[in-house]
Amino acid sequence: MCDAYTPAGDPIPTNKRHAAANIFGQIEAEEPLFGIEQEYTLLWKDSNRPLGWPLGGYPGPQGPYYCGIGADKAFGREIVDAHYNACLYAGVNISGINAEVMPGQWEFQIGPSPGISAADELWVARYILERITEMAGVVLSLDPKPIPGDWNGASAHTNFSTKAMREEEGGYELIKKAIHKLQLRHADHIAAYGEGNERRLTGGHETAEINTFSWGVADRGASIRVGRKTEKEGRGYFEDRRPSSNMDPYVVTSMIAHTTLLWEQP
């Protein structure tokens, strides 16, 4: 993994890890944990269409593909399994894989991992996936809306908690306070959450409208989703559903941590 600097010792413009490390260094006592759900699409190299899509046509409507099995529902599993095994072999903290809503679309999960480690793990996992797809002669797309129309986009839902949110009585109240801060800085986060995200965040296909902040329990159409278990037990974590599949994990994780733990409302 590259952590690149100029000869003078300054981080190069694309090195977002440096600033993220500074933020996480300030909040180590909070023991932040992240889990990142990386969605992606596998494309045929020559046609630029997802695996499983007929040339000149479309597959059947969405529904049976999500977590699906079978040659008529799951397309590219040999690549997905090879990536999963390679990540395990490399020591990457990968915790799961599943077929996604659109045919030819998949997801892997990183974490839960502490602090900046989640972004490190995702960055390396993306690199390994690029190498696996290269060997298979298939193109990896992290575009948030690779196919326009009535098809789900691709995201990188980011789950977050601190030790107090996870373990202490009143953790749910801390979560709600964090969500309120995220609401106040909604526009700032959207601007940093990935290129082309406006094509995905339409208010349809399990997304919130890009300019409207919302949160709810078990609400897949909200900006922030809280699990039923978290609400029931009064502690746990929340899921930021706004980041796109091509987001920079150093930017997103450090921004969530900064807004919820370091930022003070003017």
Side-chain angles (χ1 to χ4, degrees), residues 179-266:
I179 292 173
H180 177 65
K181 284 188 171 183
L182 291 170
Q183 179 178 5
L184 295 176
R185 296 198 66 201
H186 177 63
D188 295 330
H189 281 253
I190 288 295
Y193 272 16
E195 185 178 347
N197 211 12
E198 71 281 354
R199 292 183 281 114
R200 179 181 73 92
L201 294 178
T202 62
H205 303 99
E206 301 179 293
T207 70
E209 196 275 327
I210 191 167
N211 295 313
T212 305
F213 183 90
S214 61
W215 77 276
V217 176
D219 186 351
R220 298 177 71 88
S223 308
I224 305 291
R225 179 171 67 163
V226 175
R228 294 190 191 279
K229 184 178 180 182
T230 295
E231 181 189 42
K232 181 179 180 181
E233 296 185 354
R235 67 195 74 180
Y237 67 96
F238 65 84
E239 174 193 36
D240 192 336
R241 298 177 61 83
R242 297 171 295 173
S244 72
S245 51
N246 60 12
M247 62 83 159
D248 186 319
Y250 296 110
V251 172
V252 169
T253 58
S254 63
M255 197 169 191
I256 292 172
H258 181 270
T259 295
T260 58
L261 299 175
L262 298 174
W263 181 73
E264 296 293 338
Q265 181 180 351

Side-chain angles (χ1 to χ4, degrees), residues 8 25 27 33 35 43 45 72 77 89 105 155 192 218 237 244 249 256 258:
I27 59 170
L33 279 181
L43 306 175
K45 181 176 61 175
D72 59 340
R77 188 181 298 278
Y89 183 80
Q105 189 180 72
S155 63
Y237 67 96
S244 72
I256 292 172
H258 181 270

Side-chain angles (χ1 to χ4, degrees), residues 100-114:
E100 265 302 328
V101 177
M102 187 181 78
Q105 189 180 72
W106 293 83
E107 176 187 298
F108 66 87
Q109 299 93 37
I110 292 296
S113 296

Side-chain angles (χ1 to χ4, degrees), residues 69-167:
I69 59 172
D72 59 340
K73 301 180 186 70
F75 311 103
R77 188 181 298 278
E78 65 280 4
I79 294 172
V80 175
D81 285 346
H83 172 247
Y84 188 70
N85 289 329
C87 284
L88 291 175
Y89 183 80
V92 172
N93 186 20
I94 189 170
S95 49
I97 52 175
N98 62 269
E100 265 302 328
V101 177
M102 187 181 78
Q105 189 180 72
W106 293 83
E107 176 187 298
F108 66 87
Q109 299 93 37
I110 292 296
S113 296
I116 201 170
S117 296
D120 287 340
E121 303 275 358
L122 181 63
W123 207 254
V124 173
R126 282 178 174 178
Y127 172 79
I128 293 173
L129 183 55
E130 286 272 16
R131 291 295 305 274
I132 296 290
T133 53
E134 175 189 325
M135 288 189 289
V138 170
V139 175
L140 167 65
S141 173
L142 295 181
D143 190 286
K145 189 75 172 181
I147 303 295
D150 194 20
W151 305 97
N152 271 39
S155 63
H157 299 156
T158 302
N159 301 275
F160 173 72
S161 68
T162 63
K163 182 177 181 179
M165 292 175 187
R166 295 188 299 271
E167 300 179 8

